[in-house]
Amino acid sequence: MTMRHRVGTNESWSGAARAVAIAAVLLFAGGPARAADFCACEGRASLGNFNTNDESNWAALGVTRNAACNGSVVFFPLPEDGVLVFDSFVVSNTQSNGCNTTLVFTRAATDTRNTPVTILVKGDATIAGGDVISVAGSTGGNGLDGAPGFGGLGGRGGFAGAEGAYQLVNFASNGGTGIGPGGGLGSLAVGRTLANGGTLFSVPELRPLSGGSGGGGGHSTSNSFTCSAGGGGGGGGALLLVANGTLSIDGTITANGGNGGQRLTPSCSSAGAGGSGGAIRLAATTILGGGSVAAAGGTAGCCSDAPANGGGAGRIRMEAITNSFAANNTNPVAVRAPSPGPIANPITPTVVITSVDGNVTEEFPKGFRGEVDLTVEAPGPIQVAFATQDVPAGTDLQLTVKPRVGAAPFSQNVTLAAGGCSAGACVATTTVDLTPGAYILEARATFQVP
């Protein structure tokens, strides 16, 4: 008998250290003013000037676009660390077809890291009117004849939604729980409770930066062929955009959560819930423009007679010496800081699931997008091993076990014993009793730093 695990890892934090940077212009005798290097770009290799209206360097960068003019999508491949450095950065109409541009970011087929998108600009950055930068989550799949609704993928740095129930295919009455630390609970067939939307797990500083969680899947009350539920929407992704100069936003930046998928038959199935909004952090000397910045939750899958819940709001943070961007042009309302802070936390605690039932996990597991990482042979008591870095001894690790579909998640804690720690690194194990099936395993640590 085979048990399949969808294993994911998640870094977690609480009360993360808050570092304050004072923006300064340093005057040297006999010389001009010198602006601060907010993007920490000094010494980094740059990709030069990028403009979606100039395709001359696209081939060298691996950039492509679709040919349709009903909203031209430009695809920019990300490196494994998710970081792009430019001298200047402009998203504007594509020259060859005159269409407004939606810029999205792709990963190589071999890249399983769920890294946020980081754009560091030595000069100015511009998103022109009608143009879009998107790290939004994807819509959950609709319940179909012969197939349940699948969970929508999260945007870069976000987490996938849950699968819908469909008794004829996945043998489940209850929908799955969304992936991620704030994944929404699935809909229950008994009592016909609604699926819950995903929520964002973060701190106001958005350091570290992580995207939104997926929405829960719908339920199925009968083994009828048409009783197929909708899948949950994916969580919005995470974007850090830092410019040493001016950031002009007349278009749109979005990390919205994906909408839930529709159910097939209202009398015996329900819709999926929306994924949560993601996280957008913007920093520059000056932020201006009349566009919009959005990290809203995805909407319920469908319909007035059987709605699921929408996803929770994400976070938007703006850091600038001068910020004239209208408060009502951000959804949710952005937190604002009077100057750009450091682009990363001074400490970077990590929690990793290292093995399941003696099987070593992948360095970068694919569980965040709903794919299987490990298969273990024997159901029953399963040992799960963890490794942490820069997490204090005495901290409780929380392991959450989420059945892919059909049952509610459960959690249990294991304490990092001092004897298992050395030089900031700790190890621990715990045992969970599981029946055959597919599971998402998520681990996190919560602790206060001085």
Side-chain angles (χ1 to χ4, degrees):
M1 189 173 295
T2 299
M3 181 187 305
R4 308 180 75 189
H5 292 264
R6 298 186 176 191
V7 180
T9 63
N10 182 66
E11 296 181 13
S12 186
W13 59 92
S14 177
R18 302 184 180 188
V20 177
I22 305 299
V25 176
L26 304 180
L27 294 180
F28 295 91
R34 178 183 176 186
D37 182 23
F38 297 128
C39 68
C41 292
E42 187 174 351
R44 291 177 180 262
S46 172
L47 297 173
N49 299 310
F50 178 74
N51 189 327
T52 57
N53 201 24
D54 179 5
E55 301 181 32
S56 61
N57 63 347
W58 283 20
L61 298 175
V63 175
T64 58
R65 68 172 176 85
N66 66 352
C69 197
N70 55 344
S72 181
V73 179
V74 173
F75 305 95
F76 202 118
L78 279 184
E80 289 186 349
D81 64 1
V83 179
L84 299 168
V85 182
F86 302 98
D87 293 337
S88 66
F89 180 77
V90 178
V91 178
S92 181
N93 291 359
T94 53
Q95 188 176 53
S96 59
N97 62 7
C99 300
N100 286 120
T101 295
T102 297
L103 181 65
V104 299
F105 304 91
T106 59
R107 60 165 58 87
T110 56
D111 180 12
T112 60
R113 305 186 195 202
N114 193 25
T115 50
V117 176
T118 298
I119 301 173
L120 306 177
V121 186
K122 297 182 178 181
D124 297 333
T126 300
I127 300 93
D131 301 297
V132 180
I133 295 178
S134 178
V135 291
S138 298
T139 298
N142 297 332
L144 303 173
D145 285 340
F150 57 83
L153 291 178
R156 284 297 303 245
F159 300 88
E163 185 174 310
Y166 187 22
Q167 294 187 28
L168 284 181
V169 174
N170 56 25
F171 315 110
S173 298
N174 300 327
T177 298
I179 299 175
L185 296 175
S187 176
L188 301 180
V190 176
R192 301 199 65 170
T193 62
L194 303 179
N196 290 336
T199 58
L200 176 69
F201 186 82
S202 73
V203 293
E205 293 82 3
L206 296 182
R207 298 194 311 266
L209 187 67
S210 182
S213 298
H219 70 255
S220 172
T221 62
S222 166
N223 62 3
S224 169
F225 188 70
T226 62
C227 295
S228 178
L239 171 69
L240 170 63
L241 173 54
V242 184
N244 283 343
T246 297
L247 171 57
S248 302
I249 309 170
D250 287 309
T252 299
I253 300 175
T254 175
N256 288 340
N259 298 335
Q262 299 183 20
R263 78 286 188 273
L264 186 58
T265 302
S267 62
C268 60
S269 58
S270 67
S276 80
I280 299 173
R281 182 182 169 209
L282 307 174
T285 299
T286 301
I287 299 178
L288 51 80
S292 64
V293 181
T299 62
C302 175
C303 300
S304 59
D305 59 342
N309 292 334
R315 285 186 187 270
I316 300 169
R317 182 176 177 86
M318 291 181 163
E319 305 171 9
I321 298 171
T322 302
N323 189 346
S324 62
F325 196 83
N328 59 0
N329 284 5
T330 65
N331 181 19
V333 174
V335 172
R336 299 189 179 215
S339 67
I343 63 174
N345 252 356
I347 60 170
T348 55
T350 59
V351 178
V352 178
I353 299 174
T354 55
S355 70
V356 178
D357 200 35
N359 296 272
V360 177
T361 63
E362 297 289 336
E363 182 180 5
F364 302 106
K366 303 179 291 294
F368 68 90
R369 62 190 190 199
E371 298 182 16
V372 174
D373 292 298
L374 283 178
T375 300
V376 299
E377 297 302 324
I382 300 297
Q383 187 181 77
V384 181
F386 312 89
T388 70
Q389 184 66 47
D390 295 330
V391 178
T395 300
D396 282 343
L397 301 184
Q398 182 184 74
L399 174 68
T400 299
V401 181
K402 299 178 178 179
R404 183 195 66 191
V405 70
F410 64 90
S411 298
Q412 63 188 54
N413 291 346
V414 56
T415 301
L416 293 178
C421 299
S422 176
C426 301
V427 295
T429 61
T430 190
T431 300
V432 292
D433 195 356
L434 301 179
T435 59
Y439 298 85
I440 299 99
L441 303 184
E442 298 175 351
R444 73 181 191 223
T446 303
F447 61 96
Q448 184 73 39
V449 298

